[in-house]
Amino acid sequence: MSIRIERLRKQFNGYSAIDNVSFSVSDGEFVTLLGPSGSGKSTVLRCIAGLERPDSGGIEIDGEDVTRIPVQERKVGFVFQHYALFRHMTVLENVGFGLRVRGVKRREWEGKAKELLELVGLSGLGGRMPSQLSGGQRQRVALARALAAEPGLLLLDEPFGALDARLRRELRTWLRKLHDRIKLTTLLVTHDQDEALELSDRVLVMNRGRIEQDAKPQAIFDKPSTEFVAAFVGETNRLVGVVHNDEVQWGPLKFGSYSFSDGTRVAILFRPTDVYVSSQPEGSEVSGVIKTIQFLGATESMEIDLGKGFSITAHVPKGVAEQSGFTQGKKVYITVTRSHLFFSLGSA
Amino acid sequence: MITESAPVRRILMTLAFGFVGLFLIVPLVTVFGGALQGGFPLFIKNIRDPYTRAAILLTLQTAAVVVPLNLLFGVTAAWAIAKFDFFGKRTLMTLIDLPFTVSPIVSGLIFVLLFGAQGIFGPWLMRHDIKIIFAVPGIILATIFITFPYVARELIPLMQAQGNDQEEAALTLGSGGWRTFFLVTLPNIRWGLVYGVILLNARAMGEFGAVSVVSGHIRGLTNTIPLHVEILYNEYNLVGAFSVASILAFLAIATLVTKMLIKWKTRQEMILEEAS
Amino acid sequence: MKLLLKQKSVLPGFGPALGFTLFYLTIIVLIPISMLFLKTATLGWSSFWETVSSPRVIASFGLSFGTSFTAALINVIFGLIVAWVLVRYRFPGKKIIDMLIDLPFALPTAVAGIALTTAFSERGLLGSLLGSIGIKTAFTPLGIIIALTFIGLPFVVRAVQPVLEDLDKEMEEAAVCLGARRWQTFVHVILPILFPALMSGFAMAFARALGEYGSVVFIAGNIPMKSEITPLLIITKLEQYDYAGATAIATVMLIASFACLFIINRLQWWSHHRQEA
């Protein structure tokens, strides 16, 4: 099923939860709404499901306007952050609930529920109560339950939010594989950028009720279209300067600027991984001193003092750092390989 | 957003209001309306009647004995039950609840069987010329029995929710047992304690069934306020009955208002605590 | 005393506190109640049986159980509705109504009794209204049910309210998303969760109604075999100096109370347990 959202608005007590949001999802696509808490991403999802009624705007599912259609008839599968399993029913009864309330006979819904438990890798646990399952198992039951009624659309609201980091990564991979198999149009809401970038065909970054960027994961990371996206997705160094002769000078660093006129105040963002650090000049005129080194596992994070109170953060692969003998107090040369400039209202 | 359709909501509201109106508001209106039926001067006259005054005095005397005793018991029992884990705790709690479920008539009767003329201690009491049944001590005993669980019931869940951390912290800081209780435990449970005492007092002053069995209904001597209400009512003195009853109804409303205020107050304190 | 502790505690005063509690409990509650059984034991089985199986006593048992059961049932239905409206809906005066729910706990039963009787008597506010459509309430079993409904009113509301407040809203949303109609959500999802609380509210209302005297005695009419409840019969026996008879009937009542208490305890444990899971 495909979705089309047209100029959606929703206010809660005078505060805009969604402010003029439009986007579309094509059949079989996996799209993620990424944003901080309070950005309105969950509200969009709840509007699509019919759990909230938008103040204005339209929601089309397969070309049909569903804005006035009650939740029960939208045929969407919704997975909640805290699972929302019916705790007084067995796992099998939970999974079969959607079919049961539609008047499907017991034998039939039980069969279908067993099939789905197998799909999510929980066959044999149908007789348990939800309280006897682990967090990851519960979330998979919730997913099986949402899929059992054969929805045309799967909506996931922070589905891994209540799980620990390791389990979250496991389930993420598993979910992507499942999607590749069943090809169900899926809309995921999350605040976890790794989850969004790894899982989705397309990512919508939301902030303050608006969509900041709608692009493929790679483009979100490499070509952020707004300062918010650049700052929210991945780590960044953020500097502020004024354009002068198509250039911005910040301490010893210079950045080319062709799209801003002279005298414009701009914010410059670049990723610590986009900073090339070497012990030899290698054509770089900018040098600094390593102030601190922090071990992050595969990479090392260094704070480099550029003098006169200017400093930046750089991430260097562990092997490179060891080979070059980077230690605290060592003099290094740096080059910023990729940066993003944005019009800035904020102060330095 | 997920709720019933408007007509269903309206039906449910109507049923709820109807039920509450019929069973709670009508009786209240009847009491106060009945009391003022003959005008305010008559109401005052009824309240100032010597027999009414004697009943009020006896009720106050009873409460003055019952409330401190059951308060002491309630706090002690709550301390033992809420702060310690021991064998037989559930049984003990069930036994404390007993007077809640025993019929007031049966509660009165057991004291008649103990201290009445035919009772076990009856002959001995008679020989020593001590009167318990059909006298004030009987009324007090029956009231103690009936109102026995109230304070403990109010305090136990409260003290359990508070946990032992604060008391333990006080002890490590060198505070003694009593000091810890008065400086740490008591301030934490003060609102629950206030409500427990007020409810205990209201029930002690209003007890009818048990007291009715042991009192003997001697006007001016062993008549509490509720018993006096009954006598006036049975004499077809409706205005008088309702006038005296309105004292108790007023006490009941004051109890409910206190509970509401305390609920509001504790919520306020909780919000403050969370904010800080 | 210390031997009873499951775990050593640094807090002082366990021994004296438990000691005093047990002492007071024994003096005030346990000894007096055991007197009743002692006295019954001296009656002998045949005279005990003769008393409690006499038609008048049996009729009173039937009336007391029947009216208490009906009143508790009414309270389950309306208590659920009132709790639902108080928790789920917003309307002016909600706090006041919430406050008034406890009125039957705080209002002395005699006051409630004369107020209900007056309101439902033929010349009363509601009695005349009901009378005009041919329903007679005061001095009939219907009047007893009214008084007992009043007495038991807070139990169901107060048992259901917290469970309803804690009810996970997501669960209802999950049900609608899966296609359940509102009534299906209620029957399959909400009601099973409320059930233990409803049952324990019912049991408490029933237990309280069974022993109730003050509020019933005025409205009941007290006609032997027709509208004479068991507690009143005990009083009647006492007034006739039939201590043996009163004791026998009281013993049956007390056993019924114990049974109720036991059931309530189990139900509360169940309700609590259900909520934790």
Side-chain angles (χ1 to χ4, degrees), chain B residues 143-182:
Chain B
T143 309
I144 290 181
F145 179 92
I146 288 283
T147 60
F148 176 81
Y150 284 96
V151 174
R153 269 278 117 184
E154 205 58 44
L155 291 186
I156 290 170
L158 204 65
M159 276 164 86
Q160 271 172 339
Q162 307 261 351
N164 291 357
D165 301 358
Q166 294 188 34
E167 281 82 2
E168 284 170 4
L171 290 175
T172 61
L173 293 168
S175 163
W178 286 112
R179 226 177 148 75
T180 305
F181 176 76
F182 281 108

Side-chain angles (χ1 to χ4, degrees), chain A residues 46 49 51 71-73 76 78 80-89 97-98 100-102 131 145-146 149, chain C residues 163 166-168 170-182 184-185 188-190 192-193 274-275 277:
Chain A
R46 292 170 62 84
L51 293 171
V71 199
Q72 291 94 336
E73 282 147 40
V76 294
F78 201 108
F80 296 84
Q81 179 175 1
H82 299 290
Y83 328 121
L85 294 180
F86 307 129
R87 55 183 181 219
H88 56 281
M89 297 182 198
F97 184 84
R100 221 171 110 201
V101 294
R102 287 194 172 88
S131 57
R145 184 177 67 178
Chain C
V163 185
D166 285 351
L167 198 69
D168 186 4
E170 276 191 357
M171 219 167 346
E172 281 170 64
E173 292 179 345
V176 236
C177 284
L178 293 166
R181 309 267 141 211
R182 189 65 189 150
Q184 285 175 316
T185 307
H188 293 302
V189 178
I190 302 173
I193 295 171
R274 250 315 211 353
Q275 245 179 310

